[in-house]
Amino acid sequence: MKSPYNIVKRPIITEKSMELIEENKYTFEVDKNANKAEIKQAIETIFEGVKVKKVRTLNFTGKKVRTRYGYGKKADWKKAYVTLTEDSEAIEYFDGM
């Protein structure tokens, strides 16, 4: 069984994701092989007091890049939009602020 910290890699902090927080939706970069049930369980384990209502995922293919040694490719990755229930606690990204 995978560790929850290996499934959820990092939060994605952009202008769009900050606007979605007002609607109880949070954005994370997750493991490419994780499914929605594993993502839901990992979020509820990492952030205590959080109840996940829905998980939506998107797969991204890595872009082709040009280097001075030839061509390469950036890594493929997966993004997850996590919607919390209304009675759930909020996820705090910035605890020290």
Side-chain angles (χ1 to χ4, degrees):
M1 184 172 168
K2 298 180 193 175
S3 167
Y5 295 99
N6 290 337
I7 293 173
V8 178
K9 293 184 178 177
R10 67 181 181 94
I12 297 176
I13 301 172
T14 60
E15 288 182 27
K16 181 181 177 182
S17 67
M18 289 302 176
E19 290 174 4
L20 289 174
I21 289 176
E22 297 169 4
E23 302 172 14
N24 256 359
K25 296 180 182 176
Y26 294 86
T27 311
F28 295 95
E29 180 181 344
V30 295
D31 183 34
K32 201 172 83 167
N33 298 320
N35 59 28
K36 292 181 182 185
E38 291 174 339
I39 295 168
K40 177 180 178 178
Q41 186 177 11
I43 294 292
E44 290 176 347
T45 304
I46 293 171
F47 304 103
E48 295 179 14
V50 171
K51 296 178 186 172
V52 176
K53 179 179 180 182
K54 181 167 73 168
V55 177
R56 295 180 353 204
T57 58
L58 296 149
N59 286 307
F60 291 92
T61 55
K63 294 180 178 180
K64 191 175 181 183
V65 292
R66 209 172 109 191
T67 64
R68 63 180 175 175
Y69 303 110
Y71 288 95
K73 183 177 168 287
K74 291 187 177 180
D76 299 340
W77 61 288
K78 189 179 220 180
K79 182 195 286 189
Y81 289 106
V82 177
T83 305
L84 305 182
T85 60
E86 291 79 21
D87 60 340
S88 176
E89 294 181 13
I91 296 175
E92 294 294 328
Y93 289 140
F94 309 107
D95 291 334
M97 296 182 94

